[in-house]
Amino acid sequence: MESSHEQFGDRTVVILSGPSGSGKSTIVNRLMTECPIKLVKMISATTRPKRIGEVEGEDYYYITNEEFQHRRLNGEFVEFENVYASGFWYGTLKSELERAWSVGGLPFLEIDVNGARRVMELYPDAISIFIRAASDGDYERRLRGRGTESEEVIQRRLANARRELESAHVYKYQVCNDQLDRAVHEITQILIAQKGNSTCTKNS
Ligand code: ADP
Ligand code: 5GP
C-alpha cells in the first residue's frame, strides 16, 4: 500500500471498529442523523454480494473482484482487506476521504481492525473507537437475531470476534454497546470533545 500523507496532509478521520454483531451499523446510522458534528459516512468498495435491503452507493459500492484488484493496483485505496478471510475484499477509497473533506466534513470509517491499524498509521490523529458488547454471548445473539448470515458465516465471524477483541487496546476509545442510546451518546460526546483537534465543522 502506498502512503497517502502528502495527498491528505494532516486531515483526520474517525474510525469505528468492533466484532460482527457489536452494533456498529446500527450506531453509525444513529450518529449520521443525530450527531451535531458533520460526519460523512465513507462508502467502502466491496466484492461481497449485496444483501437484501442494501443499496448500491449507500451501503457499499459493489464491484467485481477484477475491478477491485484493478483499482487496488491503481493506488485508489487508503486500505483494503480480505475481511474475515471470507474471500471478499473491502476497501476505503481515497476519493471517499476527499469527498468528506471537500465539504468540511469528518470522514467516518466503519472498518475491520486490520484496516483500522493501517489508517491509524497514516493518520495518527485519527479518532479511533472500538465497540464491544457487554458480554461474549451478545455477539452470537445479535448476529442470529439480525438473520442476514448463513450458519457458516456466523461461525467464521464469531471466531474472528475473539481476534478483533484482542486489538481493542490499540483504539483511543472503547465503548460498550450495552444500551444503544447510551453508546450513541457516549460516542457523540467523544466526537464533540475531539472537535477542536479536527478539521470538521458543525452542522448548523
Ligand atoms: P454490526 O454492524 O456490528 O455487525 P449491527 O449493527 O448489524 O452489528 O447489529 C447486530 C444486531 O444487533 C442488529 O439486529 C441490531 O438491531 C442489534 N443491536 C444493535 N445494538 C444493540 C443493543 N445495544 N442492544 C440490543 N441489540 C442491539
Ligand atoms: P459486512 O459484510 O457485515 O458489511 O462487513 C464485514 C466487515 O467488513 C465489518 O467488520 C466492517 O467493519 C468491515 N469493513 C467494511 N468496509 C471495510 C473497508 O473498507 N475496509 C476494511 N478493512 N474493512 C471494512
Side-chain angles (χ1 to χ4, degrees), residues 17-131:
S17 305
S20 196
S22 56
K24 299 181 298 296
S25 304
T26 311
I27 288 171
V28 174
N29 290 336
R30 286 276 302 266
L31 287 171
M32 289 305 138
T33 55
E34 295 172 27
C35 185
I37 305 287
K38 185 166 181 170
L39 305 171
V40 181
K41 182 177 147 183
M42 298 290 88
I43 312 298
S44 297
T46 186
T47 62
R48 124 159 129 57
K50 200 193 290 178
R51 288 185 194 131
I52 292 168
E54 288 184 339
V55 179
E56 160 72 27
E58 282 184 25
D59 296 290
Y60 286 103
Y61 300 116
Y62 300 91
I63 61 177
T64 61
N65 192 43
E66 190 183 23
E67 183 178 352
F68 195 102
Q69 302 315 330
H70 173 74
R71 296 179 79 167
R72 179 173 70 79
L73 291 171
N74 218 19
E76 294 183 35
F77 291 108
V78 180
E79 61 76 36
F80 50 86
E81 196 62 36
N82 170 7
V83 178
Y84 307 140
S86 58
F88 297 129
W89 290 89
Y90 298 75
T92 307
L93 291 158
K94 292 177 181 173
S95 57
E96 281 292 293
L97 299 188
E98 289 296 348
R99 178 170 70 83
W101 287 325
S102 70
V103 295
L106 191 52
F108 193 102
L109 286 71
E110 191 227 299
I111 58 176
D112 89 316
V113 295
N114 294 331
R117 282 177 185 269
R118 294 212 189 100
V119 176
M120 286 177 209
E121 281 166 25
L122 288 171
Y123 301 101
D125 292 334
I127 305 165
S128 56
I129 304 169
F130 188 90
I131 305 289

Side-chain angles (χ1 to χ4, degrees), residues 154-173:
I154 287 174
Q155 290 305 333
R156 196 162 51 224
R157 288 184 176 219
L158 289 175
N160 198 62
R162 277 171 228 120
R163 188 181 62 76
E164 294 202 277
L165 285 163
E166 286 167 11
S167 294
H169 67 278
V170 306
Y171 290 73
K172 287 192 178 138
Y173 302 92

